[in-house]
């Protein structure tokens, strides 16, 4: 698995969302590298992590990342939040958890109303076989839909999407299965580390109300809604995201 490191300071692991790679965090790297040592992960089947022997399996990927990084704060964006939350719930080396436009359960249920219908991910899975390139483009368009800087963010994501090669279709299907089938809500009350929940106020994929509900179940949790931001707040609202992360790390201490 490809993990690249930038900067100096407290360790921060960053895990990207569906179909992208660690390079998507470039704006955050520019802001945070002077004060953090950043470990940018390319999940299996994405970016530079094209090893066919690695699967997008939640426990296995978390273990593989943990074996390669020192004790750190873990940040997960969107799909990456499932890996970060799993790590925070199971590993003593996780010092803090930052969930960015991410939630322990992405699909709606009778007791979880602030999420998307399961048919959303099923439809993307069906479309992958018919129109691979168009399906990816439609998904990243959802990442930026509603954001006050959506046009510029979409241009950035389209540039980044294939910057490290095309994501593996099998990994994309596995990622959709994780988004559709994962439910990590039971792990929230037992979290032993502080957590930061950063939501985009205009996010069309992860409802801020769902993130607020998740944060309310975790001890030492702080929920922040960034007005005007969409599903990728670290692009159009990077200074606000960087400031929240810096303050969060300061409160954790050395």
């Amino acid at each position: 698995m490809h993990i690249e490191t930038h900067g100096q300071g407290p360790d921060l692991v960053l895990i990207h969302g569906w179909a992208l790679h660690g390079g998507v965090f470039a704006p955050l790297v520019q802001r945070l590298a002077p004060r953090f040592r950043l470990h940018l992960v390319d999940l299996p089947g994405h970016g530079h992590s094209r090893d066919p022997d690695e699967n997008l399996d939640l426990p296995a990927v978390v273990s593989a990342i943990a074996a390669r990084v020192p004790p750190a704060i873990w940040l997960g964006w969107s799909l990456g939040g499932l890996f970060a939350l799993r790590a925070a719930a199971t590993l003593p080396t996780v010092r803090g958890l930052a969930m960015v436009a991410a939630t322990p359960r992405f699909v709606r249920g009778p007791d979880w109303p602030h999420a998307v219908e399961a048919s959303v991910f099923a439809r993307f899975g069906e479309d992958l076989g018919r129109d691979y390139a168009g399906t990816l483009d439609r998904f990243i368009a959802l990442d930026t839909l509603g954001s006050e800087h959506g046009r510029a963010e979409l241009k950035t994501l389209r540039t980044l999407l294939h910057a490290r090669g095309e994501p593996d279709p099998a990994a994309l299907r596995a990622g959709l299965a994780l988004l559709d089938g994962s439910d990590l809500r039971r792990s929230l009350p037992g979290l032993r580390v502080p957590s930061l929940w950063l939501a985009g106020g205009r996010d069309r994929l992860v409802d801020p109300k769902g993130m607020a509900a998740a944060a309310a179940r975790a001890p030492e949790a702080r929920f922040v809604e960034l007005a005007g931001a969409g599903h990728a707040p670290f692009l159009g609202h990077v200074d606000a995201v960087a400031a929240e992360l810096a303050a969060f790390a300061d409160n954790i201490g050395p």
Side-chain angles (χ1 to χ4, degrees):
M1 193 184 312
H2 178 80
I3 301 177
E4 61 185 65
T5 302
H6 301 270
Q8 297 291 330
D11 291 281
L12 175 62
V13 175
L14 298 96
I15 308 175
H16 62 83
W18 189 77
L20 286 152
H21 49 76
V24 75
F25 294 116
L28 267 183
V29 172
Q30 293 177 359
R31 297 330 191 264
L32 297 179
R35 61 161 300 158
F36 288 94
R37 182 164 57 171
L38 305 167
H39 306 272
L40 279 68
V41 176
D42 281 1
L43 290 171
H46 298 72
H48 295 316
S49 295
R50 301 286 294 184
D51 187 344
D53 294 330
E54 291 184 312
N55 296 317
L56 201 65
D57 174 76
L58 199 57
V61 169
V62 166
S63 296
I65 296 171
R68 298 269 306 279
V69 300
I73 297 169
W74 285 46
L75 178 153
W77 167 53
S78 194
L79 170 65
L82 293 175
F83 296 92
L85 178 53
R86 165 82 186 192
T90 59
L91 299 177
T93 54
V94 177
R95 300 181 56 248
L97 169 68
M99 299 282 280
V100 179
T103 178
R105 174 172 170 153
F106 283 82
V107 298
R108 188 174 301 169
D111 60 344
W112 194 247
H114 304 300
V116 301
E117 293 288 350
S119 60
V120 171
F121 299 121
R123 191 178 309 120
F124 275 109
E126 294 168 0
D127 290 347
L128 274 175
R130 292 192 291 262
D131 181 10
Y132 174 87
T135 301
L136 294 188
D137 191 68
R138 286 191 293 276
F139 194 89
I140 64 171
L142 278 177
D143 287 344
T144 63
L145 187 65
S147 171
E148 61 185 358
H149 304 301
R151 183 174 298 179
E153 293 173 8
L154 181 57
K155 182 179 179 180
T156 298
L157 287 181
R158 280 177 170 157
T159 299
L160 287 170
L161 182 60
H162 300 305
R164 299 185 179 184
E166 291 188 348
D168 177 62
L172 293 177
R173 288 190 290 271
L176 289 173
L178 284 175
L179 290 168
D180 178 63
S182 297
D183 188 350
L184 303 184
R185 289 177 294 170
R186 289 184 179 180
S187 67
L188 296 174
L191 286 180
R192 294 166 293 180
V193 296
S195 57
L196 173 66
W197 301 73
L198 291 177
R202 299 183 181 182
D203 193 338
R204 302 295 177 84
L205 280 172
V206 175
D207 193 321
K209 293 178 182 177
M211 289 192 66
R217 299 186 181 197
E220 296 185 76
R222 170 174 162 78
F223 170 75
V224 177
E225 183 174 331
L226 301 172
H231 189 60
F234 52 85
L235 294 180
H237 298 75
V238 61
D239 290 328
V241 173
E244 291 289 348
L245 288 170
F248 176 62
D250 287 344
N251 287 333
I252 293 176

